[in-house]
Structure formats: structure tokens, C-alpha cells
Amino acid sequence: MKEMCKKKFSTHQATLIQNTDRFLIIEWKRADGSGDYYVNYIVDKKRGSLIVSGDLGDSIATWYNPIKICNLKNYVLDIEYYASKFQCSSDKYKFDPEDILADIKEQATSLDFRIDDEQEFWENVESAIYDGGYNKDFIPSQELTDLVSEIDCDYFEWLYTCGRKIHIRVYLWAVGFNMACEQLGF
């Protein structure tokens, strides 16, 4: 994933807009001036916040203590850790029906359950998932929760995170910030 992001930014140039004791502002855009994949990064060094805005969406991540750019550029490359620091974001996770189904099936392998017609059960689960039209958020339908509760009465502990994957934009924000900092010598 990170290599794909690097390719997307292969023609990008970092421009240092401001660097004070408190703030760092970097403009990250293609050398030809195009707005495709344009990103603006603002770091509040004292508060420990990274604010991202631009063509790839928006986010604010906060560490709640003073932060050095040389550390921050590496922190963001730990994608799970970086995403855990989000206070808000236009995109954090994505949900794909195939991933939701695979995660439910994986969870089911650890359960001892008996269903009369297992093939019909999984067809119904799949249908309930695909009828949900999930993308940005996964909120299981009543039909799906009813079905899954047949195999696990504690479904609420795991069902709501099935299929959850970090959105590609989070990788792009992180890799872009790291690359921009490297170009600027941070």
C-alpha cells in the first residue's frame, strides 16, 4: 500500500510555507501545478497536532504534547497508530461487503454452532450484507444481526468491526507527509 502511495506522489514537490517554533506548514502538490492529490499539512508543534486538508480529504490527529517533526514523520507511518490519534477525519475506515462476510466467517470458525442448513444460512448472511450497501460506515441491518445472533449471542462484541479496513486516504496522508518532510530535510 505504501509503495502505491509513493508512486502517486512521485512528481510531487514540497513547499515550506512556514516554520516557526510553534507551526510548520507544508504544501504538497504535483510539480506541474495540478491539484490532483494536493495536500496541505499544518503541524502545531506545541500542541502536537497534524492537520491535513486538500484534494484527499481532511483530518486532525493530536498527540497532546509537544512534538518534533523528525519524530512525527515516522509516527504517521505506523498507520494504525496514526489513525488512533484522529480527532476527526473525512475518511478513516472503509467497509467492503466481501471483507465483512470474510470476517464473519472467520469469527464463526471459533464458535461451536449448529444450523440446520448451513449453506442457506451463509447465503442469507451474504444477502443481508450486500443489501446493506456499506462503504464508509458499517451498521448491520436488523436482518443481519438476527442471523448472526443465531450463531453467537455475543455478536455485538465483534460484528460491528467486521470488514473494517483503514481507508487508502490515511495511507496517502501519512506517506505524503513523510515524503514532503524528507524532501525538505526534516
Side-chain angles (χ1 to χ4, degrees), residues 123-135:
E123 287 171 1
N124 289 338
V125 167
E126 185 173 2
S127 177
I129 292 169
Y130 278 89
D131 290 346
Y134 310 109
N135 184 14

Side-chain angles (χ1 to χ4, degrees), residues 26-123:
I26 299 172
E27 183 178 70
W28 182 238
K29 67 180 180 179
R30 288 177 28 171
D32 65 7
S34 168
D36 291 345
Y37 288 78
Y38 166 84
V39 186
N40 187 55
Y41 297 103
I42 301 172
V43 179
D44 181 336
K45 299 175 194 177
K46 184 177 178 183
R47 178 115 168 96
S49 292
L50 173 61
I51 302 162
V52 178
S53 63
D55 188 46
L56 298 173
D58 309 287
S59 68
I60 300 174
T62 304
W63 281 258
Y64 295 107
N65 55 9
I67 198 158
K68 294 180 180 178
I69 301 304
C70 62
N71 294 330
L72 181 59
K73 74 176 189 177
N74 294 318
Y75 292 163
V76 300
L77 291 179
D78 181 342
I79 300 299
E80 291 282 340
Y81 174 68
Y82 172 43
S84 77
K85 297 299 183 179
F86 285 177
Q87 304 307 304
C88 61
S89 68
S90 54
D91 299 290
K92 183 175 182 179
Y93 299 114
K94 70 174 185 75
F95 293 91
D96 180 86
E98 289 179 20
D99 292 334
I100 295 168
L101 181 61
D103 286 355
I104 292 171
K105 285 183 174 182
E106 182 178 329
Q107 183 68 29
T109 61
S110 67
L111 302 170
D112 183 26
F113 68 93
R114 309 237 188 287
I115 299 287
D116 290 338
D117 187 343
E118 195 169 330
Q119 180 178 344
E120 180 183 2
F121 172 79
W122 287 114
E123 287 171 1

